[in-house]
Amino acid sequence: MNINEKIALFAETLDVEADSVSAETVLADLPEYDSMAKLSLIVMFDEQFGKKVDGETVKGFQTVGDILDLMD
Amino acid sequence: MAFFTNKGIQIAGIAAAVPDNFVPASSFQERFGEEAVQKFSESTGIRSIYNALPDQTASDLAYAAAEELFRRTGADKEKIGVMVFVTQSPDYRRPSSACVLQKRLGLPVDCACVEVELGCSGFVYGMQTALSLMASGDAEYGLVMIGETASKLVDPMDKSIVMMYGDGGAAVLLKKEDGGVIRTLLKSDGSRYKAIVLPAGGFRDMNPGHERFVCSDGIERSLYDIFMDGTSVFSFSITDVPQTIREYLEKTETAADDYDVIVLHQANQFMLKQIVKRIKAPKERVPVSLDRYGNTGGISIPLTLCDKYGTEKAGTVRALMSGFGIGLSWGVFSAAIDTERVYPVIQTNHCYTEGRFEPGKY
């Protein structure tokens, strides 16, 4: 999965425009990054990558890039 | 694997009670704003809850359900040889509320009464505890009671929980008789005990101050308020729980489709949908009651059964049930349930006022 595909998947999960975010985007600056968005990310990782992402991992996310790094 | 096979004991009746205090989600609009309440209802599916009255305890709600169960079934209290009461909201620090309930219900002295301190998994654990006690003993009848008033442990300004926790009680009659087998799978993971916690008031920290501070989710609480790490609990609920249900299905050589009804702990609707998808359950067989009662903890399984089958009978159904949450603790069990013996949810304002102690008067 290349970087653009990863950003597209992230954008789809959070329901934001893909061209409005980059790996450097700080999550705290994204109004869409709320508690429901965090739950949607957990679901996405489980469904798309078979990865169990726990609460501690989610708490550690600072930038969009941190999330993209887990998409392998 | 903590897997249990129970033969020769059947479910002979189920009753449930909620407090006579209906609280629609809309009543929180003044506190949190219309938009926040609407968003909460949309994401959780919860549109109302029932909160215990100020003097009403978990045992009062379980008591009302049990009395309704005896009234409906006509079962002889003298024959109850095992009673399990599940709660995390006891009447006193001691004695056990199970003993107080024995007195109130008029159960015989020849009845083993025990309390199980678990929350959302409590119904599954309470059932298995009673089944195991009955299997190795001579009791003809057993009674599982469960009650919770978690709403009393929430900071009123905690919008993440205060609109979610409903209170309730339930009671199940067990009877020794031939019929289907009840199989149970239980799991615990204490390494995640901090995921849902109320730190103060136990013996680790009996009387700390009531100062409020900001928790990791940005919400203000004191040590006396319940805290839930929602993200961790969600992750647990949509990964560990379906995985355990799948293990259960494999162990029992069944599929979700083999069950007439699949009753999952009513945590929130988004979570329910995710679990349903992961266990490949036909969603029309997964009843929802949280929209009206909220998250009632361990009561949610019997409450949902009473809500569904209390008025609409469907003969004998094969039910798969799973409770999961605080502990972390979770379990799955299945049983044949005669819906003629599942009674409508009642509302109660019952309070055991005699249970209050006055200084200098005891």
Side-chain angles (χ1 to χ4, degrees):
Chain A
M1 196 178 252
N2 66 36
I3 182 81
N4 290 334
E5 289 167 337
K6 287 181 180 181
I7 288 184
L9 182 55
F10 171 82
E12 186 192 330
T13 307
L14 262 73
D15 199 17
V16 294
E17 294 297 328
D19 54 10
S20 70
V21 290
S22 69
E24 289 73 39
T25 304
V26 175
L27 293 165
D29 295 338
L30 267 183
E32 291 85 357
Y33 191 67
D34 59 10
S35 59
M36 277 307 285
K38 290 172 189 169
L39 306 190
S40 301
L41 283 173
I42 292 170
V43 171
M44 184 273 287
F45 274 110
D46 182 53
E47 289 182 347
Q48 304 280 331
F49 301 95
K51 273 191 184 178
K52 182 176 162 182
V53 174
D54 61 19
E56 287 306 311
T57 308
V58 174
K59 270 180 220 145
F61 292 152
Q62 299 291 324
T63 63
V64 171
D66 295 337
I67 295 167
L68 306 185
D69 287 346
L70 269 185
M71 294 184 185
D72 284 314
Chain B
M1 188 182 265
F3 186 79
F4 304 82
T5 303
N6 310 279
K7 291 177 182 164
I9 304 172
Q10 306 302 323
I11 292 175
I14 307 177
V18 293
D20 201 359
N21 181 23
F22 177 73
V23 183
S26 58
S27 65
F28 291 99
Q29 284 180 2
E30 205 173 310
R31 208 179 302 172
F32 302 120
E34 196 178 331
E35 197 186 327
V37 172
Q38 212 160 17
K39 198 172 164 190
F40 167 83
S41 286
E42 275 165 22
S43 61
T44 61
I46 297 168
R47 305 203 177 276
S48 64
I49 50 179
Y50 291 81
N51 279 353
L53 299 163
D55 292 330
Q56 206 170 29
T57 68
S59 73
D60 291 337
L61 297 167
Y63 170 86
E67 283 294 14
E68 175 71 1
L69 184 64
F70 283 116
R71 189 181 74 78
R72 292 273 194 171
T73 59
D76 182 357
K77 288 180 178 175
E78 284 299 317
K79 289 185 178 168
I80 305 285
V82 166
M83 188 269 261
V84 174
F85 178 48
V86 183
T87 193
Q88 292 193 307
S89 304
D91 288 2
Y92 312 107
R93 290 204 184 182
R94 48 192 67 186
S96 161
S97 303
C99 295
V100 184
L101 277 168
Q102 177 200 27
K103 174 245 183 282
R104 291 168 63 186
L105 285 166
L107 301 181
V109 173
D110 290 317
C111 176
C113 295
V114 64
E115 199 157 303
V116 171
E117 201 239 318
L118 285 168
C120 303
S121 65
F123 181 63
V124 186
Y125 271 81
M127 286 290 289
Q128 186 52 50
T129 304
L131 288 164
S132 292
L133 285 169
M134 286 178 74
S136 54
D138 59 3
E140 190 187 345
Y141 285 89
L143 180 66
V144 177
M145 300 175 69
I146 181 163
E148 199 47 72
T149 55
S151 74
K152 297 192 178 195
L153 304 172
V154 183
D155 182 284
M157 290 310 290
D158 183 349
K159 67 176 176 190
S160 73
I161 305 180
V162 74
M163 297 184 273
M164 187 176 92
Y165 277 171
D167 302 323
V172 176
L173 185 67
L174 294 170
K175 185 187 180 193
K176 271 197 185 140
E177 65 182 10
D178 290 334
V181 179
I182 300 177
R183 294 186 177 90
T184 310
L185 174 59
L186 301 176
K187 296 212 182 203
S188 319
D189 182 4
S191 74
R192 289 181 273 179
Y193 77 93
K194 290 181 181 171
I196 310 173
V197 64
L198 196 159
F203 291 87
R204 179 73 55 204
D205 199 1
M206 282 174 82
N207 299 301
H210 286 259
E211 300 80 24
R212 293 161 66 83
F213 51 89
V214 178
C215 292
S216 56
D217 58 1
I219 291 175
E220 234 184 57
R221 298 183 183 85
S222 81
L223 287 168
Y224 292 88
D225 301 318
I226 197 152
F227 166 79
M228 173 153 57
D229 175 354
T231 316
S232 294
V233 174
F234 179 79
S235 172
F236 154 72
S237 305
I238 71 150
T239 54
D240 299 82
V241 173
Q243 190 184 324
T244 301
I245 296 174
R246 288 196 298 265
E247 272 175 46
Y248 180 90
L249 295 173
E250 201 175 314
K251 177 82 180 167
T252 55
E253 296 179 343
T254 58
D257 203 31
D258 294 334
Y259 296 91
D260 303 306
V261 63
I262 298 166
V263 187
L264 302 171
H265 165 51
Q266 305 282 300
N268 78 53
Q269 203 161 34
F270 185 52
M271 215 183 256
L272 279 183
K273 280 183 184 164
Q274 295 299 331
I275 298 172
V276 166
K277 193 159 64 175
R278 283 164 175 72
I279 62 169
K280 297 185 170 63
K283 65 174 185 235
E284 63 280 4
R285 293 191 204 168
V286 184
V288 173
S289 68
L290 63 83
D291 52 332
R292 285 151 294 138
Y293 303 108
N295 178 344
T296 54
I299 293 94
S300 76
I301 294 173
L303 180 66
T304 302
L305 284 166
C306 290
D307 182 60
K308 179 171 174 63
Y309 295 117
T311 47
E312 283 186 33
K313 301 302 172 189
T316 296
V317 294
R318 188 84 204 140
L320 178 70
M321 294 157 275
S322 179
F324 47 89
I326 191 165
L328 297 177
S329 167
W330 65 109
V332 187
F333 83 111
S334 69
I337 298 173
D338 177 1
T339 56
E340 291 295 333
R341 288 171 167 263
V342 181
Y343 306 109
V345 179
I346 58 162
Q347 282 189 41
T348 179
N349 59 9
H350 174 76
C351 296
Y352 184 55
T353 46
E354 277 177 59
R356 193 179 269 277
F357 286 75
E358 298 296 336
K361 291 192 178 164
Y362 64 96

